[in-house]
Amino acid sequence: MADAREPSRGPRPDGTMQQADSAQDPHRWWGLVVIGLAQLMVVLDATIVNVALPSAQRALDMSDSNRQWVITAYTLAFGGLLLLGGRVADWVGRKRTFILGLIGFGFASAVGGAAVSPEMLFVARAFQGAFGALMAPSALSLLSTTFTDPKERGKAFGVFGAIAGSGAAIGLLLGGILTEFLDWRWCLYVNVPIAVLAVVGALTLLHDRPGNAEARLDIPGVVLGCGGLVALVYGVSEAQPRGWSSPLVLGLLGGSVLLLCLFVLWQRRAPTPLLPLHIVKDRNRAGSFLTMGMATIGMFGVFLFLTYYLQGILGYSPLETGLAYLPISAAIILGSTQISGRLLPYVQPRMLMAPGMLLAAGGMFILTRLTVDSSYVSHLLPAELLLGLGLGCTFMPVISTATQGVAPHDSGVTSATVNTAQQVGGSIGTALLNTIATSITADYVREHLRDPRMRREVVREGVVHGFTSATWVAVGVMVLGAVLAAVLVTMKPIGHAAAGESAAEPAPGG
């Protein structure tokens, strides 16, 4: 076992043995299926209830002011507890944490589906997020320690990247299908059989070394780090309905900055830090975390706009809206598995990340040209294909680079940091871009509404104008992400690194 004092940068000290173990495990690809199922549940649950929310609101007599908690309760618990979940995985063992997360997530989903009051649904969604925060880091950590051979790693992370990138769009599609043909409750019940299958698969197919029983949980770090993340996610979530100038939003964001600054100071002197700072100081991992955040800021904001555009402007049904997202999911899968997954062993990760972000920015640029009369085939379809292909080419090398060369005792918290970047980026993107869009829409309607009989048409034009204006911001964010990836990520191709270029002792034949 690796020495707990060993830094996580560079090749793992026991990397050769891990590669041999991975190659000898005949069930590792079936294990990838189990890990993929768990990751799909976590990602799609952030969006699957969006389409079903109006039905749930009517069924439970939920007020307009409270309905947001169906989404916020999940994102708060998930985003705020990810670092803790990652460290728990390192402490008690990744497989144990993974199974505990699956069981809890499935149970919370069943309770949410059976909810008889808004409060019962809110609590169930919060527990979903909490158990998801246990499951997601341990899933990625298991993947990272199972697949260490460069070629196999590329394929495995290609599949994982496709799931991570397309899960939100799949959630919208599945939510539309379940709501239209069954009932909104099945958007939660659907997790139960998936969780059962994943638990059985994890017990029989996944293997892991024991946790570090001598480790101690960093309680001050948990309070400061998780508290800061909860305040940040809650603040940006409240910015959507209240506005960025709201005293509550400003107080939460200011408190978040204070808590996170204190967290960093504490981590520098903590005997067993919740997040060892050498993980985020490494320029390749820092570049990967920032690129992931930039990508999800743009992606989640655009998903929100497209949903309103398809249903509010083009008049699509929930099912038609879900089907309209299929090209994005297909393009993400293609980019992750057939482009990045095949090329990553041979090219530098930034040669995939930066062009991928620019390709996604190109797709968003097409969306800036939308009007109230734009057709799906001429405008939305090419934009979705470019956006999906770019994100697919980006997510896979980002996730692989962020977890490459991490010591086993730090793999859980590193995986949690990847998920935190994705979750916080999505929350900021949704709130920031929506605030920009609604403000511009209100100004447009106020300036152009001169005849009350034209109100409906002016409002439609204002909504699209606000959407396209905010999408320009998303384009800029994507371009910034491309620059950050190109400048910060300097890692060599993983096939080259595996040959021993940066290792202290080259591998045989290196």
Side-chain angles (χ1 to χ4, degrees), residues 224 258-270 277:
L224 294 172
L258 176 61
L259 288 173
L260 292 177
C261 288
L262 292 174
F263 172 73
V264 171
L265 293 175
W266 170 251
Q267 295 306 282
R268 297 176 62 180
R269 56 191 295 262
L277 294 183

Side-chain angles (χ1 to χ4, degrees), residues 26 28 30 86 90 103 111 119 126 143 194 205 237 269-270 285 293 357 365 374 379 422 435 440:
R28 62 192 181 281
W30 284 109
D90 292 331
I103 294 172
V111 172
E119 293 75 17
L143 183 72
I194 298 176
L205 298 171
S237 298
R269 56 191 295 262
R285 274 190 283 278
M357 292 291 281
F365 172 76
S374 297
H379 285 80
Q422 182 179 22
T435 302
I440 292 176

Side-chain angles (χ1 to χ4, degrees), residues 12-179:
R12 295 181 209 163
D14 55 346
T16 305
M17 179 64 69
Q18 285 186 7
Q19 289 180 20
D21 292 344
S22 174
Q24 292 172 358
D25 182 3
H27 304 303
R28 62 192 181 281
W29 292 106
W30 284 109
L32 174 61
V33 174
V34 174
I35 294 170
L37 280 175
Q39 179 66 14
L40 182 62
M41 272 201 310
V42 170
V43 177
L44 68 80
D45 245 70
T47 58
I48 191 172
V49 298
N50 285 23
V51 179
L53 188 53
S55 300
Q57 182 178 0
R58 289 192 297 270
L60 299 180
D61 195 23
M62 206 180 301
S63 68
D64 289 343
S65 60
N66 285 337
R67 66 183 178 186
Q68 64 160 322
W69 282 102
V70 177
I71 310 298
T72 306
Y74 180 85
T75 57
L76 266 182
F78 184 57
L81 298 177
L82 273 167
L83 285 180
L84 175 60
R87 194 41 104 190
V88 168
D90 292 331
W91 184 22
V92 305
R94 292 173 284 265
K95 180 177 176 179
R96 291 177 184 174
T97 308
F98 182 68
I99 293 173
L100 175 63
L102 282 169
I103 294 172
F105 197 92
F107 181 76
S109 299
V111 172
V116 295
S117 68
E119 293 75 17
M120 184 175 175
L121 180 57
F122 300 157
V123 172
R125 289 285 288 168
F127 274 99
Q128 273 188 306
F131 284 108
L134 285 178
M135 183 169 40
S138 53
L140 180 52
S141 181
L142 283 167
L143 183 72
S144 179
T145 55
T146 298
F147 294 94
T148 54
D149 176 80
K151 291 186 178 180
E152 289 196 346
R153 185 179 178 87
K155 294 177 182 177
F157 274 82
V159 173
F160 191 88
I163 293 171
S166 63
I170 293 173
L172 293 169
L173 169 61
L174 190 58
I177 293 174
L178 293 174
T179 302

Side-chain angles (χ1 to χ4, degrees), residues 184-198:
W184 69 268
R185 297 180 183 275
W186 279 97
C187 292
L188 295 163
Y189 285 146
V190 70
N191 292 319
V192 178
I194 298 176
V196 171
L197 285 174

Side-chain angles (χ1 to χ4, degrees), residues 347-355 397 401 482 485-491:
V347 303
Q348 288 183 285
R350 65 178 174 182
M351 299 305 295
L352 295 169
M353 295 182 196
T401 302
V487 172
L488 293 177
V489 180
T490 58
M491 181 179 287

